[in-house]
Amino acid sequence: MAEPKKLYIKTYGCQMNVYDSERMAEAMGSAGYTEVSSADEADMILLNTCHIREKAAEKVYSELGRFRDLKDAKPDLKIGVAGCVAQAEGAEIMRRQPLVDLVVGPQSYHRLPQMEAKLRQGGTALDTDFPEESKFEKLKRRPKAPRGPAAFLTVQEGCDKFCAFCVVPYTRGAEASRPAARVIDEAKDLVERGVREITLLGQNVNAYHGAGPKGDDWSLARLIWALNDIDGLERIRFTTSHPNDMGEDLIEAHGTCAKLMPYLHLPVQSGSDRILKRMNRSHTADSYIRLIERIRAARPDLLLSGDFIVGFPEETEADFQATLDLIEEVRYGQAYSFKYSTRPGTPAAERVQVDGAEATERLQRLQALLTRQQREIQQAMVGRDLDVLLERAGRQPGQMVGKSQYLHAVHVTAPDAAPGDMARVRVQESGANSLGGVLIGA
Ligand code: 5AD
Ligand code: SF4
């Protein structure tokens, strides 16, 4: 048998790219590749890229430049760019960086084995189609190798919302959902391989509208209820959601579905109605706050997470203050915040930009407030008993690290435990980024 060829994949950006990279590695497995963890030993390098902010896109080019020596030493080495930069820039990538042999977009990576064969014949390969066929239908069934306790599962892709700052509708295309039966099969498969917690993924995951087994239309809540019936699956999460797609059944499921975890990532981006309108968000600060109240009524201990953009074009100090006010009112246990980044081709790119130093200063103030809230909410876990899904060994002997139902990392001494075990932990301390506790009943 031929020596297996070695594939190194580096993943940037969101969890959906993490899932796509797994599937790309599996697809290349059928072309005789095994995955390796360093570029130095690879026969093929794939960068699975992110285009959401300028910095993320530029990182790709600086990383590519670093592969020059590797390619000089091994002229057969193939270099590919996948993901959203590939989709947005296409052939331009090869012009700007001639080291690149292959460019493949997020909707066509099931064709990677054929593209690789083309490279072996001495050519280059480019595919940034949005093909008629779905990659999920074309990709082979996933291999049966054992896995860690937590996994991502993409159920929805694309976005029809066209927020004025965002490239996603252009790089990932229109909203599309996988049929429910396919998702359920894949979830069962993951559980057989050792998975206990599944995070359902989509750019607008709560806009999921997949075909049900009888051809009917399933909402995300309906899908979650079906997954709730899988024996051996203990936890379900989903990310990321748009406020306008929080259906009544999904809100209710937060209070009634036992395996759905009390954690919700629900980005609002800004607390100013004027800016929300300019962002094309089609909700107001007040409608968002009322929505949160309804979800908290269903699940009072819900931990909320959000995304914020500061320095969006035309944002004034008063607009920014409205964002701080909204954060004070909502109280976030987790948050991601960004300085607005101009993305070519999006409507906001044409508008009057906020001074960069001013935006940086606002970001610092926003992050100080969010950090304070996160610390307080984490600190309030001390003395409580949490359910922790143990994921891996910690740094100290006998220590394990896992995630609480609220997604906080928790360290616990549990010498007899194994990854995948569910532990009841009494929290004793709150550190910078994690909690520490002891097993109850140990
Ligand atoms: N500039 C800054 N942040 C952005 N995001 C999306 N586009 C931009 C941009 N142009 C942020 C939003 C989104 C998250 C994934 O990235 O907050 O929710
Ligand atoms: Fe981008 Fe808005 Fe769609 Fe989210 S909802 S992916 S921010 S356009």
Side-chain angles (χ1 to χ4, degrees):
M1 234 175 80
E3 179 88 346
K5 288 172 279 181
K6 294 179 181 143
L7 172 68
Y8 170 68
I9 304 186
K10 183 162 180 172
T11 307
Y12 299 83
C14 65
Q15 293 120 322
M16 297 194 61
N17 272 7
V18 175
Y19 177 85
D20 286 341
S21 291
E22 284 173 14
R23 304 285 323 232
M24 287 183 211
E26 290 167 7
M28 292 302 282
S30 67
Y33 279 81
T34 55
E35 206 176 348
V36 292
S37 55
S38 96
D40 300 344
E41 47 178 323
D43 300 298
M44 181 168 189
I45 296 172
L46 264 183
L47 300 184
N48 191 10
T49 61
C50 173
H51 201 243
I52 198 98
R53 284 169 288 276
E54 190 180 357
K55 257 195 203 140
E58 283 306 314
K59 251 193 226 160
V60 176
Y61 287 102
S62 57
E63 184 76 36
L64 285 170
R66 275 186 240 135
F67 295 144
R68 183 174 305 281
D69 291 347
L70 283 179
K71 192 134 177 170
D72 284 346
K74 196 197 274 187
D76 260 0
L77 172 69
K78 302 297 175 199
I79 297 178
V81 177
C84 293
V85 175
Q87 190 63 47
E89 300 191 0
E92 176 61 24
I93 298 175
M94 291 173 175
R95 268 195 290 276
R96 187 163 157 193
Q97 181 45 276
L99 287 175
V100 174
D101 303 287
L102 174 152
V103 173
V104 63
Q107 301 308 344
S108 44
Y109 64 72
H110 55 292
R111 297 173 179 165
L112 264 171
Q114 294 92 297
M115 295 174 78
E116 192 266 353
K118 208 169 147 206
L119 299 190
R120 294 288 151 206
Q121 287 157 15
T124 56
L126 169 82
D127 189 340
T128 51
D129 283 356
F130 287 102
E132 272 300 307
E133 82 267 12
S134 154
K135 62 177 176 265
F136 296 115
E137 300 304 315
K138 293 287 164 191
L139 286 163
K140 295 212 170 56
R141 283 192 80 81
R142 308 196 66 176
K144 290 285 179 197
R147 304 190 41 132
F152 295 129
L153 204 180
T154 294
V155 302
Q156 184 277 343
E157 280 190 284
C159 181
D160 299 339
K161 306 285 186 296
F162 290 93
C163 297
F165 49 80
C166 186
V167 288
V168 166
Y170 312 98
T171 56
R172 290 273 177 167
E175 288 178 8
S177 300
R178 296 178 67 189
R182 295 266 192 270
V183 174
I184 295 165
D185 277 355
E186 194 171 327
K188 284 182 178 159
D189 215 64
L190 289 169
V191 171
E192 276 171 24
R193 293 164 61 192
V195 169
R196 297 287 161 264
E197 172 178 306
I198 291 180
T199 303
L200 304 175
L201 299 180
Q203 261 100 27
N204 263 286
V205 72
N206 61 341
Y208 177 88
H209 280 287
K214 297 189 185 102
D216 47 341
D217 175 18
W218 277 31
S219 65
L220 184 67
R222 182 115 187 243
L223 182 66
I224 289 170
W225 277 110
L227 298 172
N228 192 59
D229 285 340
I230 299 177
D231 286 338
L233 179 62
E234 302 196 42
R235 292 176 156 185
I236 303 166
R237 305 180 186 276
F238 62 90
T239 195
T240 179
S241 295
H242 192 287
N244 289 6
D245 292 313
M246 268 329 273
E248 200 52 56
D249 57 350
L250 189 56
I251 295 175
E252 202 184 301
H254 278 92
T256 50
C257 182
K259 294 181 186 174
L260 183 58
M261 290 296 104
Y263 180 100
L264 178 63
H265 183 65
L266 197 62
V268 66
Q269 313 296 355
S270 167
S272 154
D273 285 345
R274 198 177 70 87
I275 293 297
L276 286 169
K277 197 159 190 179
R278 298 291 283 150
M279 285 179 166
N280 193 32
R281 288 289 293 180
S282 59
H283 61 77
T284 62
D286 194 51
S287 70
Y288 177 82
I289 287 169
R290 277 187 280 112
L291 174 63
I292 300 288
E293 282 168 1
R294 280 165 55 218
I295 310 167
R296 281 191 169 141
R299 182 77 202 216
D301 65 337
L302 188 85
L303 190 140
L304 261 173
S305 160
D307 289 343
F308 300 91
I309 295 178
V310 301
F312 185 76
E314 303 156 17
E315 184 188 71
T316 62
E317 175 61 26
D319 293 317
F320 174 65
Q321 189 57 50
T323 303
L324 296 180
D325 293 346
L326 177 139
I327 293 170
E328 290 279 10
E329 187 158 353
V330 171
R331 291 182 58 77
Y332 289 88
Q334 176 67 264
Y336 305 87
S337 47
F338 314 98
K339 195 160 106 166
Y340 169 72
S341 168
T342 311
R343 305 314 287 128
T346 59
E350 312 298 322
R351 302 185 192 153
V352 180
Q353 307 291 312
V354 169
D355 172 69
E358 179 83 40
T360 302
E361 194 263 339
R362 286 181 194 163
L363 185 64
Q364 284 164 355
R365 282 157 66 200
L366 183 100
Q367 289 183 336
L369 171 60
L370 288 167
T371 305
R372 176 162 63 72
Q373 286 190 347
Q374 283 161 41
R375 294 245 164 93
E376 284 168 7
I377 289 171
Q378 203 183 291
Q379 183 66 35
M381 298 287 161
V382 176
R384 286 186 55 181
D385 297 345
L386 301 179
D387 297 317
V388 179
L389 176 62
L390 301 176
E391 291 186 6
R392 58 184 170 82
R395 287 218 193 98
Q396 317 291 338
Q399 192 186 53
M400 296 285 289
V401 188
K403 296 271 167 56
S404 78
Q405 59 269 53
Y406 306 107
L407 212 52
H408 286 125
V410 182
H411 295 258
V412 60
T413 302
D416 301 327
D421 289 353
M422 192 66 84
R424 190 93 181 131
V425 175
R426 180 150 302 160
V427 179
Q428 292 184 316
E429 56 186 8
S430 171
N433 292 308
S434 66
L435 299 167
V438 290
L439 283 183
I440 293 177

